[in-house]
Amino acid sequence: MFKRLTVVLLAALALTACDGVDPNSPLGQRKAIFKAMLKTSEDMGGMLRGRVPFDGAKFADGAVQLDALSHQPWQHFPQVRDEGDSSARADVWERQARFHDLARQLEGVTGELVDATHTQPLDAAQLKGPMDKVEAACKACHTEFRNH
């Protein structure tokens, strides 16, 4: 009896430890990219809001990384809605032109953020505007196309 209970308990723990998304699937790929984007932008925003000390070199590296990441998730949205626990609304597939327009806007403002980091020495106050544009672009897409 104890062995069976242990096996059942271990199986339940194993199932709850994974979210059931294949990391190689389009959903898994885009979730990983979006998580990396969130982590990078949170670190950068923390520097600009005084939650962590401002480090110009780290901020500039983060801007380059965020710009590179901003070009990646869109290829992992198939033409037809995929199955799985996605936060994407059906509108992503029903209004693809608008979705891709917002994606291009994000790519543009992350590029502007990288450009803003070329002026040395970096000043956190001068980077706030370009970073606000990046955050606004993320929010605009989430408002229209994300469930939560």
Side-chain angles (χ1 to χ4, degrees), residues 107-137:
E107 293 169 356
V109 294
T110 58
E112 290 174 16
L113 181 61
V114 170
D115 291 344
T117 65
H118 292 152
T119 304
Q120 296 292 326
L122 291 182
D123 177 10
Q126 291 179 339
L127 295 169
K128 186 176 178 339
M131 188 67 190
D132 286 348
K133 285 183 178 182
V134 170
E135 292 170 346

Short mmCIF file of all heavy atoms in Angstrom, two decimals, residues 107-137:
data_model
loop_
_atom_site.label_atom_id
_atom_site.label_comp_id
_atom_site.label_asym_id
_atom_site.label_seq_id
_atom_site.Cartn_x
_atom_site.Cartn_y
_atom_site.Cartn_z
N GLU A 107 9.27 46.06 -32.74
CA GLU A 107 10.62 45.94 -33.31
C GLU A 107 11.23 47.31 -33.55
O GLU A 107 12.42 47.53 -33.32
CB GLU A 107 10.58 45.14 -34.61
CG GLU A 107 10.20 43.69 -34.43
CD GLU A 107 9.91 42.96 -35.72
OE1 GLU A 107 9.91 43.59 -36.81
OE2 GLU A 107 9.65 41.75 -35.66
N GLY A 108 10.41 48.25 -34.01
CA GLY A 108 10.90 49.61 -34.27
C GLY A 108 11.34 50.33 -33.01
O GLY A 108 12.41 50.94 -32.97
N VAL A 109 10.53 50.24 -31.96
CA VAL A 109 10.87 50.98 -30.74
C VAL A 109 12.01 50.32 -29.98
O VAL A 109 12.77 51.01 -29.29
CB VAL A 109 9.65 51.24 -29.84
CG1 VAL A 109 8.66 52.17 -30.52
CG2 VAL A 109 8.98 49.97 -29.37
N THR A 110 12.18 49.00 -30.11
CA THR A 110 13.36 48.40 -29.48
C THR A 110 14.62 48.82 -30.22
O THR A 110 15.66 49.02 -29.60
CB THR A 110 13.27 46.86 -29.39
OG1 THR A 110 13.11 46.31 -30.69
CG2 THR A 110 12.14 46.42 -28.46
N GLY A 111 14.51 49.00 -31.53
CA GLY A 111 15.64 49.53 -32.30
C GLY A 111 15.98 50.96 -31.88
O GLY A 111 17.16 51.32 -31.77
N GLU A 112 14.95 51.76 -31.64
CA GLU A 112 15.17 53.13 -31.16
C GLU A 112 15.84 53.13 -29.79
O GLU A 112 16.70 53.97 -29.51
CB GLU A 112 13.84 53.89 -31.07
CG GLU A 112 13.21 54.20 -32.40
CD GLU A 112 11.82 54.82 -32.27
OE1 GLU A 112 11.45 55.28 -31.16
OE2 GLU A 112 11.10 54.84 -33.27
N LEU A 113 15.47 52.18 -28.95
CA LEU A 113 16.10 52.07 -27.64
C LEU A 113 17.58 51.74 -27.77
O LEU A 113 18.42 52.34 -27.09
CB LEU A 113 15.39 51.00 -26.79
CG LEU A 113 15.92 50.78 -25.38
CD1 LEU A 113 15.78 52.05 -24.54
CD2 LEU A 113 15.18 49.62 -24.72
N VAL A 114 17.91 50.84 -28.67
CA VAL A 114 19.33 50.52 -28.91
C VAL A 114 20.06 51.78 -29.38
O VAL A 114 21.15 52.09 -28.90
CB VAL A 114 19.49 49.38 -29.94
CG1 VAL A 114 20.95 49.22 -30.36
CG2 VAL A 114 18.96 48.07 -29.37
N ASP A 115 19.45 52.52 -30.31
CA ASP A 115 20.06 53.75 -30.80
C ASP A 115 20.31 54.74 -29.66
O ASP A 115 21.34 55.42 -29.63
CB ASP A 115 19.18 54.42 -31.87
CG ASP A 115 19.14 53.63 -33.17
OD1 ASP A 115 20.00 52.73 -33.38
OD2 ASP A 115 18.23 53.90 -33.98
N ALA A 116 19.38 54.81 -28.72
CA ALA A 116 19.52 55.74 -27.60
C ALA A 116 20.69 55.37 -26.69
O ALA A 116 21.23 56.23 -25.99
CB ALA A 116 18.22 55.78 -26.79
N THR A 117 21.08 54.11 -26.72
CA THR A 117 22.21 53.68 -25.88
C THR A 117 23.56 53.99 -26.51
O THR A 117 24.59 53.75 -25.88
CB THR A 117 22.15 52.17 -25.54
OG1 THR A 117 22.30 51.41 -26.74
CG2 THR A 117 20.85 51.83 -24.82
N HIS A 118 23.57 54.51 -27.72
CA HIS A 118 24.84 54.83 -28.38
C HIS A 118 25.42 56.16 -27.90
O HIS A 118 26.58 56.43 -28.15
CB HIS A 118 24.67 54.84 -29.90
CG HIS A 118 24.40 53.47 -30.45
ND1 HIS A 118 23.69 53.26 -31.61
CD2 HIS A 118 24.72 52.24 -29.99
CE1 HIS A 118 23.60 51.98 -31.85
NE2 HIS A 118 24.22 51.34 -30.87
N THR A 119 24.62 56.98 -27.26
CA THR A 119 25.10 58.25 -26.73
C THR A 119 25.72 58.00 -25.36
O THR A 119 25.03 57.62 -24.42
CB THR A 119 23.93 59.26 -26.59
OG1 THR A 119 23.31 59.41 -27.86
CG2 THR A 119 24.43 60.61 -26.10
N GLN A 120 27.03 58.18 -25.29
CA GLN A 120 27.75 57.91 -24.04
C GLN A 120 28.14 59.21 -23.36
O GLN A 120 28.39 60.19 -24.04
CB GLN A 120 29.00 57.07 -24.34
CG GLN A 120 28.69 55.68 -24.90
CD GLN A 120 28.03 54.77 -23.88
OE1 GLN A 120 28.31 54.85 -22.69
NE2 GLN A 120 27.12 53.94 -24.35
N PRO A 121 28.22 59.28 -22.07
CA PRO A 121 27.82 58.23 -21.14
C PRO A 121 26.30 58.15 -21.06
O PRO A 121 25.60 59.13 -21.30
CB PRO A 121 28.41 58.68 -19.80
CG PRO A 121 28.46 60.17 -19.90
CD PRO A 121 28.70 60.48 -21.36
N LEU A 122 25.81 56.98 -20.74
CA LEU A 122 24.36 56.79 -20.67
C LEU A 122 23.79 57.50 -19.46
O LEU A 122 24.37 57.49 -18.38
CB LEU A 122 24.03 55.30 -20.59
CG LEU A 122 24.30 54.49 -21.85
CD1 LEU A 122 23.88 53.04 -21.64
CD2 LEU A 122 23.59 55.07 -23.05
N ASP A 123 22.64 58.11 -19.69
CA ASP A 123 21.93 58.83 -18.64
C ASP A 123 20.55 58.18 -18.50
O ASP A 123 19.77 58.16 -19.46
CB ASP A 123 21.81 60.31 -19.03
CG ASP A 123 21.03 61.14 -18.03
OD1 ASP A 123 20.71 60.64 -16.93
OD2 ASP A 123 20.72 62.30 -18.36
N ALA A 124 20.27 57.66 -17.31
CA ALA A 124 19.00 56.96 -17.09
C ALA A 124 17.80 57.84 -17.44
O ALA A 124 16.83 57.36 -18.02
CB ALA A 124 18.91 56.49 -15.63
N ALA A 125 17.87 59.12 -17.13
CA ALA A 125 16.75 60.01 -17.41
C ALA A 125 16.48 60.11 -18.91
O ALA A 125 15.32 60.20 -19.34
CB ALA A 125 17.01 61.39 -16.82
N GLN A 126 17.52 60.09 -19.73
CA GLN A 126 17.35 60.18 -21.17
C GLN A 126 16.87 58.86 -21.79
O GLN A 126 16.36 58.85 -22.90
CB GLN A 126 18.64 60.63 -21.83
CG GLN A 126 18.98 62.07 -21.52
CD GLN A 126 20.28 62.52 -22.16
OE1 GLN A 126 21.13 61.70 -22.51
NE2 GLN A 126 20.42 63.82 -22.31
N LEU A 127 17.03 57.77 -21.08
CA LEU A 127 16.60 56.46 -21.60
C LEU A 127 15.16 56.14 -21.21
O LEU A 127 14.56 55.22 -21.76
CB LEU A 127 17.53 55.37 -21.07
CG LEU A 127 18.97 55.49 -21.56
CD1 LEU A 127 19.87 54.54 -20.78
CD2 LEU A 127 19.05 55.23 -23.05
N LYS A 128 14.60 56.91 -20.29
CA LYS A 128 13.25 56.65 -19.83
C LYS A 128 12.23 56.76 -20.97
O LYS A 128 11.36 55.90 -21.11
CB LYS A 128 12.88 57.59 -18.70
CG LYS A 128 11.53 57.26 -18.08
CD LYS A 128 11.21 58.13 -16.90
CE LYS A 128 9.88 57.87 -16.26
NZ LYS A 128 8.86 57.23 -17.01
N GLY A 129 12.33 57.78 -21.80
CA GLY A 129 11.39 57.95 -22.91
C GLY A 129 11.41 56.78 -23.88
O GLY A 129 10.35 56.20 -24.19
N PRO A 130 12.60 56.40 -24.40
CA PRO A 130 12.63 55.24 -25.30
C PRO A 130 12.16 53.94 -24.64
O PRO A 130 11.48 53.13 -25.28
CB PRO A 130 14.11 55.15 -25.70
CG PRO A 130 14.65 56.52 -25.52
CD PRO A 130 13.89 57.09 -24.35
N MET A 131 12.46 53.77 -23.35
CA MET A 131 12.00 52.56 -22.67
C MET A 131 10.50 52.59 -22.47
O MET A 131 9.82 51.55 -22.59
CB MET A 131 12.72 52.41 -21.32
CG MET A 131 12.47 51.09 -20.64
SD MET A 131 13.18 49.73 -21.57
CE MET A 131 12.47 48.34 -20.70
N ASP A 132 9.94 53.77 -22.19
CA ASP A 132 8.49 53.91 -22.08
C ASP A 132 7.80 53.51 -23.38
O ASP A 132 6.72 52.90 -23.37
CB ASP A 132 8.10 55.34 -21.71
CG ASP A 132 8.38 55.69 -20.26
OD1 ASP A 132 8.67 54.78 -19.45
OD2 ASP A 132 8.33 56.90 -19.93
N LYS A 133 8.42 53.85 -24.52
CA LYS A 133 7.84 53.47 -25.83
C LYS A 133 7.82 51.95 -25.99
O LYS A 133 6.86 51.39 -26.53
CB LYS A 133 8.64 54.10 -26.97
CG LYS A 133 8.40 55.56 -27.16
CD LYS A 133 9.19 56.04 -28.37
CE LYS A 133 8.98 57.49 -28.67
NZ LYS A 133 9.73 57.91 -29.88
N VAL A 134 8.89 51.29 -25.55
CA VAL A 134 8.94 49.83 -25.62
C VAL A 134 7.82 49.23 -24.76
O VAL A 134 7.07 48.36 -25.21
CB VAL A 134 10.32 49.29 -25.18
CG1 VAL A 134 10.29 47.78 -25.03
CG2 VAL A 134 11.39 49.72 -26.18
N GLU A 135 7.72 49.71 -23.54
CA GLU A 135 6.69 49.19 -22.64
C GLU A 135 5.29 49.47 -23.18
O GLU A 135 4.39 48.63 -23.07
CB GLU A 135 6.87 49.77 -21.24
CG GLU A 135 8.14 49.24 -20.57
CD GLU A 135 8.50 49.95 -19.28
OE1 GLU A 135 7.94 51.03 -18.98
OE2 GLU A 135 9.35 49.41 -18.55
N ALA A 136 5.08 50.62 -23.80
CA ALA A 136 3.77 50.95 -24.37
C ALA A 136 3.45 50.03 -25.56
O ALA A 136 2.30 49.63 -25.73
CB ALA A 136 3.74 52.42 -24.81
N ALA A 137 4.47 49.69 -26.34
CA ALA A 137 4.26 48.79 -27.48
C ALA A 137 3.88 47.39 -26.99
O ALA A 137 2.99 46.74 -27.55
CB ALA A 137 5.50 48.74 -28.36
#
